[in-house]
Amino acid sequence: MKRYFMKKSGKAIMAFGLMAVLAVSSLAGCAKKDATDTTVATSEAATESGTTTFKAGTYSATVTGMHEMTVTVTVSETEITDIQVEHQETPGVGEPVVDLIKDEILEIQGLGVDVVSGATLTSNAMIEGVTDCLKQAGLSEEGINELLAIKKVVEKEEDLDLTADVVVIGAGGAGMAAAVTANQAGKTVIVIEKSSKMGGNTILAGGALNAVDDGSETAIANKDSVENHYNQTFDGGDKAGDPVLVRTLVENAWSGVEWLKSLGMEFKDGVFTVTGGMWPRAHKPVEPEGTGFFKTYQSYLDSSTGITMVYDTKADELIVEDGVVTGVKCTGKTGNTVTAKANNGVVIATGGFGQNVEMRVKYNEITKKWPTLDETIPSTNTSGITGDGMLMAEAIGANLVQMGNIQLLPLGDPETGSLSGNIEHAVESRIFINLEGNRFVNEGGRRDEMTLALFAQPETTMYIVMDSDTYPEGNELNNFGESIADLVASGRALKADTLEELAKLMNVPVENLIASVEDYNRYCKGGDLEGQTDAFGRTLFTDTDGVNNGINDGPFYAASRVPTVHHTMGGIQINENAEVIDTNGNVIPGVFAAGEVTGGIHGTNRLGGNALTDTVVFGRIAGTSASNFVR
Ligand code: ADP
């Protein structure tokens, strides 16, 4: 007899025999070695009434998580008997959450499942899809509300004391690079992660990683060098970045790529220009988005010993003894206290604060760079990226620098702010068109300039427009593993054989779109070379076999985009050894920081493709420094 049926009898508690072990650790992308198995017992919410039963049958609903998904629910008169989901959610991000939520709904026969941190869109879509199906099965609003009130009851576990040589806080790109590096140096490592999986924002990134193999054929062919990378990074951040840190970043970038390759990570041949990257020097992993990094780190975990992943555990407070950071106090999933102590160093790698609206608004007040960063502006970040590491470090005297430098992208999904659904492959082959059908900015320029220009457009909305050169067959994938055919079918992208038809679909004046494209095509044909320059100063154009061929081969594609908070460049001040600096300019012993939680590398504007480089370069440095730290 299942939950919903029992409610009719008004029974208050139903023990499911207990000890259902919620195997958070079994999620794809999680380590096999978890310190905390979370024990939960389920109980029925004490609800009255519950007069509705289901109309037995199978029902389907189409909903949107990171991508479109179809949820199919089978019910008997008294219970939910099966849930099937067709989806393309990102491996290691949304994908494991689909199963987690499905299993929990079936187990508790209720809808009061928690949204999984880091996979909010997928979680909500799952709940919405099942709810929709149950409504089709005849469940009233009242019945839905009753099911929403049914939750797992979690029993608080015992407090836990853990010790390792190195403690890493945050299992995103920088944290995992630090953890693996420390382990390679022979250290035992504990990784504390607030969500139920590794990946952080890094796994959602487009995957572009800037690195120059100085003197290589690729670098020479692209007229690129480490020096050029340095200059563009430093100048691109308005010379506000710390020159020593910028140097450290660019000079160690290529060895970072080689290190990843030595761990088994695969990259596509050649380099490309990522939006705001300013130059073709981005390496693209074979796996979509940032998933390749975590497949690589996971396979390292699988084949090594000494790294313990502690998921669903939030670091709250650094432990300081005699002026030295020795560990971190955390809250475990069941509300218990988890204390992780380090024999050597502690690494903070908790990412930025893109999802902390209060901090966004507070620090934007300093620079007033953006018209607003309140809750109306979405973010590409996962929900757990809330500045925790910065606040923890600030509380022990660390210096936070350049906190007002907040990066937005002009590439957010209008509904969610995520980068998924972005149809561009590379800067050279697409233009931005506002709702009046006009170009408005150099689409090969800096991220901040492009986004500020977008804020000034009608409805703060634009379309990315390109032709079939990017999608010759019409079913190729974008940079986020989505097929253009699926994006068109779900209405997230528009496709038309002619520009006239495309303009109609976009609801922009036909003559303006055509004039914009014709004008742009003139520059592609070498307008620049003939002494004319693009009206917006653009210099990066499509160049196939030496021919700049513009936007002229139908079918044509367009997709709507809005500003979205992407990266917070400010954060904890560090030196080139990733040591944390206090407000008096001194090193705080025992604590190191890497990745987006740090500040002062990227200055006012981060070059596209430099964030992943940052995680690998400074993650490795922090892992080494923490390993070498002796009290
Ligand atoms: P980076 O790119 O700098 O590596 P990411 O965003 O990829 O940053 O990863 C940061 C990780 O830190 C995320 O997985 C996030 O869930 C985790 N995190 C954030 N705050 C905490 C916290 N208080 N305790 C533990 N983990 C945290």
Side-chain angles (χ1 to χ4, degrees):
M1 190 151 47
K2 291 285 166 82
R3 172 76 37 101
Y4 191 69
F5 186 62
M6 290 200 62
K7 283 199 301 156
K8 289 184 177 178
S9 65
K11 190 155 177 165
I13 301 281
M14 177 175 185
F16 259 87
L18 40 31
M19 310 319 225
V21 174
L22 177 64
V24 220
S25 53
S26 70
L27 287 174
C30 298
K32 57 184 178 183
K33 317 170 189 81
D34 278 60
T36 51
D37 271 347
T38 306
T39 305
V40 293
T42 53
S43 78
E44 186 181 15
T47 53
E48 297 302 318
S49 73
T51 49
T52 320
T53 55
F54 302 124
K55 213 173 346 152
T58 298
Y59 304 89
S60 280
T62 301
V63 285
T64 306
M66 280 296 280
H67 311 286
E68 197 164 272
M69 56 166 95
T70 305
V71 180
T72 303
V73 178
T74 304
V75 291
S76 68
E77 284 191 2
T78 54
E79 69 183 83
I80 305 166
T81 56
D82 188 36
I83 301 173
Q84 297 292 329
V85 188
E86 272 177 48
H87 69 90
Q88 302 175 331
E89 299 301 275
T90 312
V93 184
E95 183 214 23
V97 172
V98 168
D99 285 338
L100 188 78
I101 292 200
K102 179 180 112 172
D103 292 347
E104 192 170 320
I105 290 175
L106 286 170
E107 182 192 336
I108 65 174
Q109 290 290 309
L111 294 169
V113 292
D114 285 335
V115 164
V116 177
S117 155
T120 315
L121 295 176
T122 310
S123 308
N124 285 335
M126 280 294 295
I127 298 165
E128 186 190 337
V130 176
T131 303
D132 190 325
C133 291
L134 295 185
K135 281 184 184 167
Q136 293 176 45
L139 196 59
S140 64
E141 281 299 331
E142 190 195 355
I144 293 288
N145 287 337
E146 285 176 6
L147 292 201
L148 283 169
I150 297 175
K151 291 183 183 296
K152 267 188 168 169
V153 175
V154 180
E155 280 174 7
K156 190 168 170 182
E157 286 195 325
E158 300 241 315
D159 292 347
L160 200 59
D161 290 324
L162 305 168
T163 304
D165 296 331
V166 172
V167 171
V168 176
I169 313 169
M176 290 313 298
V180 170
T181 303
N183 188 251
Q184 286 179 320
K187 299 294 174 181
T188 57
V189 184
I190 291 168
V191 182
I192 302 287
E193 168 55 51
K194 171 175 171 176
S195 76
S196 54
K197 56 195 174 33
M198 67 168 82
N201 270 348
T202 306
I203 204 167
L204 302 177
L209 187 161
N210 288 341
V212 185
D213 180 12
D214 234 358
S216 67
E217 270 178 32
T218 310
I220 291 167
N222 288 302
K223 298 184 180 60
D224 203 12
S225 62
V226 167
E227 200 54 30
N228 194 28
H229 190 190
Y230 173 86
N231 289 331
Q232 289 196 320
T233 302
F234 191 58
D235 294 349
D238 294 322
K239 300 184 173 29
D242 178 338
V244 174
L245 298 181
V246 178
R247 241 327 123 214
T248 307
L249 179 81
V250 298
E251 287 184 351
N252 292 287
W254 181 247
S255 62
V257 171
E258 288 186 314
W259 176 73
L260 289 165
K261 287 182 177 171
S262 76
L263 293 173
M265 185 161 167
E266 292 178 308
F267 289 88
K268 292 184 178 166
D269 289 338
V271 289
F272 76 111
T273 312
V274 62
T275 293
M278 315 292 287
W279 208 258
R281 68 166 66 91
H283 299 262
K284 193 183 276 188
V286 167
E287 301 289 340
E289 299 171 294
T291 56
F293 292 86
F294 296 96
K295 266 198 170 171
T296 306
Y297 296 138
Q298 180 63 47
S299 75
Y300 181 88
L301 292 176
D302 291 343
S303 61
S304 62
T305 53
I307 302 183
T308 305
M309 303 299 295
V310 185
Y311 288 108
D312 294 302
T313 298
K314 177 178 173 291
D316 298 317
E317 202 183 313
L318 294 163
I319 302 167
V320 184
E321 293 170 272
D322 299 328
V324 179
V325 175
T326 57
V328 62
K329 241 191 182 150
C330 319
T331 307
K333 183 175 170 99
T334 61
N336 55 334
T337 299
V338 177
T339 307
K341 296 289 293 280
N343 300 322
N344 299 103
V346 174
V347 177
I348 309 173
T350 49
F353 60 92
Q355 286 287 13
N356 186 326
V357 173
E358 203 180 307
M359 284 177 80
R360 265 159 45 171
V361 169
K362 170 178 165 184
Y363 288 113
N364 187 46
E365 270 301 303
I366 297 174
T367 53
K368 300 208 175 1
K369 173 150 186 153
W370 304 104
T372 176
L373 289 186
D374 67 11
E375 63 288 341
T376 61
I377 307 299
S379 172
T380 60
N381 290 194
T382 81
S383 54
I385 305 302
T386 45
D388 303 7
M390 296 170 198
L391 299 172
M392 267 187 282
E394 190 179 32
I396 62 155
N399 196 26
L400 301 187
V401 290
Q402 303 186 354
M403 294 293 282
N405 295 344
I406 300 172
Q407 179 168 82
L408 275 73
L409 287 181
L411 306 172
D413 179 283
E415 298 291 319
T416 64
S418 88
L419 293 179
S420 74
N422 179 6
I423 60 173
E424 69 177 13
H425 266 197
V427 165
E428 287 84 350
S429 51
R430 61 19 171 192
I431 55 174
F432 298 162
I433 293 290
N434 69 13
L435 298 186
E436 288 161 346
N438 298 322
R439 284 181 64 212
F440 57 92
V441 72
N442 167 13
E443 301 94 337
R446 288 166 45 140
R447 292 177 159 187
D448 55 349
E449 288 171 2
M450 292 188 285
T451 314
L452 275 175
L454 178 55
F455 264 104
Q457 303 312 306
E459 296 180 37
T460 325
T461 300
M462 69 171 191
Y463 283 97
I464 293 182
V465 174
M466 63 186 60
D467 70 4
S468 60
D469 289 350
T470 303
Y471 299 106
E473 302 293 329
N475 56 6
E476 293 87 349
L477 303 183
N478 66 1
N479 287 345
F480 299 88
E482 302 162 306
S483 102
I484 188 71
D486 287 345
L487 290 173
V488 171
S490 64
R492 296 179 76 202
L494 305 172
K495 176 182 182 181
D497 287 333
T498 64
L499 284 172
E500 286 83 351
E501 288 168 38
L502 189 72
K504 282 180 194 144
L505 292 176
M506 291 161 68
N507 201 19
V508 302
V510 175
E511 60 287 1
N512 288 359
L513 178 64
I514 289 175
S516 297
V517 169
E518 282 177 355
D519 201 36
Y520 166 77
N521 285 347
R522 268 195 312 121
Y523 298 116
C524 287
K525 289 209 182 79
D528 198 27
L529 302 175
E530 289 163 11
Q532 304 169 18
T533 47
D534 175 82
F536 302 97
R538 175 164 169 158
T539 56
L540 296 169
F541 297 103
T542 318
D543 191 351
T544 311
D545 301 322
V547 180
N548 287 313
N549 59 2
I551 297 176
N552 39 31
D553 298 319
F556 300 92
Y557 293 93
S560 175
R561 300 277 103 183
V562 298
T564 183
V565 176
H566 187 53
H567 191 100
T568 49
M569 277 85 67
I572 302 169
Q573 187 180 5
I574 55 165
N575 61 18
E576 68 273 29
N577 302 319
E579 292 169 299
V580 171
I581 308 299
D582 72 13
T583 48
N584 298 316
N586 300 317
V587 164
I588 304 180
V591 66
F592 308 84
E596 198 175 339
V597 76
T598 66
I601 299 174
H602 306 286
T604 56
N605 170 66
R606 178 178 63 73
L607 239 56
N610 270 356
L612 294 178
T613 311
D614 187 349
T615 66
V616 178
V617 169
F618 284 98
R620 290 177 72 203
I621 293 173
T624 302
S625 295
S627 301
N628 292 339
F629 179 76
V630 184
R631 262 180 237 158

